[in-house]
Amino acid sequence: MAGAGAERWALHPALLEPALRGEALAGLVTAAEGTHLPFSWAGITLHTTGATRLRATLAPVGPDTVSLHVADAAGTPVLSVNSLVLRPVSGHRLRQANAALFRPVWAACRTRAEPDTGTVRWGLIGDPDAWKPDTLGAPVAVYPDLSAIEDVPDVILLPCVSEGGTASEVAVRVAEAVRTWLAGERFAASRLVLVTRGALATAAGEDVEDLAAAGVWSLVEPRQVAVAGRLTLVDTDACDLRMLPAAVAVGEDRVVVRAGAVLVPDLVTPVATRQDPPAWGPGTVLVTGGSAMAVSRHLAAEHGVRDLVLAGDGDAAELAALGATVRLAPCDPADGEALAALLAEIPGLRSVVHTAADAPDPTRAGALSPETLRPQLRSRVEAAWNLHLATRGLELDRFVLFTCADGTLGPAYADALAAHRRARGLPAVSVSTDLGLTLFDEACAGLGEAVRVTTETPVPARTEADRRPVEQPPATEASATTLLERLAGRTEDEQDEILLELVRGQVAMVLGHPDATMIDPDRGFVDLGLDSVAALKLRNQLAGATRLELPASLTFDHPTAVDLARHLRAEMLPDDAAAAILVLEELNKLDDSILVLDPAGAARVRISTLLQDLAAKWVEPMDRP
């Protein structure tokens, strides 16, 4: 597997990831059921760096444990892992942990990186009069296009504005530039920054001024991971470059500049969702695109929709059996005239659902070619735009853009179009999902803004309230002795409450929540957003607070705060715990008494001898009859 930009990493994660997928690990574990995922690593050795193609060998070395040996194309060792422990996760658990409804939010960046306008060399592609390169605060070399660059700058700024062109025209033009940049070895050490202006909405009600340029974001987002931080999207609200150094300095792949502030993307769950989405109908529902039949079946079976028009192929008999009256009307909504003719024949149209066609693999070499892009642009961009134009004068209840989160084009254009309609008082929701119809109903419940649904939770699920800046709670300073003293003389229930308070507080701190009340004691740590790194951090903090030797698998073995608190009680308070607490109390008193004595006084030798004898008895207890 080749990896663009791999030489800039010790080991590019995109190269290693295929070897650790569930299907690659299947058959190497002892459990008969469930998906197994990497859990803990031991004995890691990095032999060399900069590999661009890897061969990985996995071998079982114990129960649910494998070894991993990675070599480059020539067979030279790259990485060795003596022990990789796998843990089973059921399909239900995966869906429960990952299936969630998110809405994109742009938050003020908290990174305090200083813009580098001294040592970084900057370049600008295009018309200098349009973007005022002197506002950057550093020398900027200006080029008509990428082919004119000889001495490649560190950062190349490429303005991407529509200038009257359509979204498809802009996307194809930018795709050619990105393709040239990716293919040129001389650009390997450079960073390409695609600059749009007003192509995104960053808040509810905000309009999208350059909707055509939103197609650039749809084009670039799916391939940013593959180039490891070398391809950046920046949407600004100005016609100058003054904020570009600050935007680039934050190190994010996607950045927005608004009113002099640098914003970065975040995903939060809605504060509240409707338990019972509004009913569909009465009225006709028009369904278009590659998944029209699946959506129509869902609407008929689950929502009792009785009047359906499918702009494409489908099984009318199957839908009729579900009680729906169905009209199959072959029509490509990317054809504006054909779409207008179809709509003229649909009385009582109340809802529109557009489902984009399946997309090809974005990692393919030709994914940026016009031949590959144009079919995608027709189904995802031109069809959506035509549906908007043709229906904006109608009284619709719903206008749903239902697209995949992967493929050659991402969901950014659909999100921007939904925001564009919302700003004009028109209904719209953008649903981007790999879950099929799992969260379709909730996303269509009328949340008032563009919504994304994803199978892979990019950040811990948080509410709006969690996003406000808060002071991190201080780490606990309670020693094991102090904690034991708090537990002394308490009932088991009271002890559990004390330890539960400790666990919830530490989990809140690890996840960045303002206080322990944000942590549901009965909810699984995975569901709360605790990943493997956070789990190890939690383990370390609890080990420090309790002075216990806790395993790396702590949160897996005890998956909720309640379970973990009970485990800590059992470890800290064995059968002789009461006596141990009394001894510790006496030792604390003795410690306080010794501190007031003169260390050079006459009693020094006698006290030292007694303490040494006491310690010897504890370490090597005498045999007793």
Side-chain angles (χ1 to χ4, degrees), residues 167-177 219 368-370 373-374 377:
S168 293
E169 292 169 344
V170 176
V172 170
R173 185 175 73 241
V174 172
E176 285 297 321
L219 173 72
L368 286 172
S369 68
L373 280 175
R374 287 196 174 101
L377 290 167

Side-chain angles (χ1 to χ4, degrees), residues 146 261 355 434 441 472 543 550 599:
L146 285 170
T355 68
D434 294 326
D441 296 333
Q472 291 293 337
L550 301 173

Side-chain angles (χ1 to χ4, degrees), residues 433-457:
T433 179
D434 294 326
L435 286 175
L437 298 170
T438 302
L439 294 175
F440 177 84
D441 296 333
E442 188 176 351
C444 295
L447 296 174
E449 54 191 297
V451 174
R452 258 177 215 183
V453 181
T454 176
T455 57
E456 295 180 353
T457 307

Side-chain angles (χ1 to χ4, degrees), residues 289 292-294 296-297 310-319 326-330:
M293 183 61 191
S296 298
R297 184 187 301 112
L310 273 67
D313 296 330
D315 189 337
E318 179 184 352
L319 296 174
V326 184
R327 175 185 173 188
L328 300 181

Side-chain angles (χ1 to χ4, degrees), residues 533-546:
V533 175
L536 287 177
K537 185 176 181 181
L538 175 63
R539 186 277 305 265
N540 293 340
Q541 292 183 177
L542 289 175
T546 62

Side-chain angles (χ1 to χ4, degrees), residues 475-529:
T476 179
E477 299 177 357
S479 66
T481 301
T482 304
L483 188 56
L484 281 170
E485 290 173 348
R486 289 184 60 200
L487 298 173
R490 308 273 186 165
T491 66
E492 287 191 358
D493 289 343
E494 291 171 336
Q495 291 168 347
D496 284 342
E497 284 299 319
I498 292 172
L499 291 170
L500 181 60
E501 177 188 3
L502 170 68
V503 171
R504 293 177 70 193
Q506 295 301 316
V507 173
M509 182 165 58
V510 167
L511 295 180
H513 293 316
D515 55 62
T517 61
M518 306 296 299
I519 306 303
D520 184 341
D522 295 307
R523 191 177 181 189
F525 290 131
V526 173
D527 298 339
L528 291 171

Side-chain angles (χ1 to χ4, degrees), residues 331-337 339 354 377-379 381-384 386-387:
C331 174
D332 180 1
D335 184 336
E337 293 184 1
L339 178 62
H354 176 59
L377 290 167
R378 281 185 63 85
S379 68
V381 173
E382 295 170 19
N386 285 343
L387 283 165

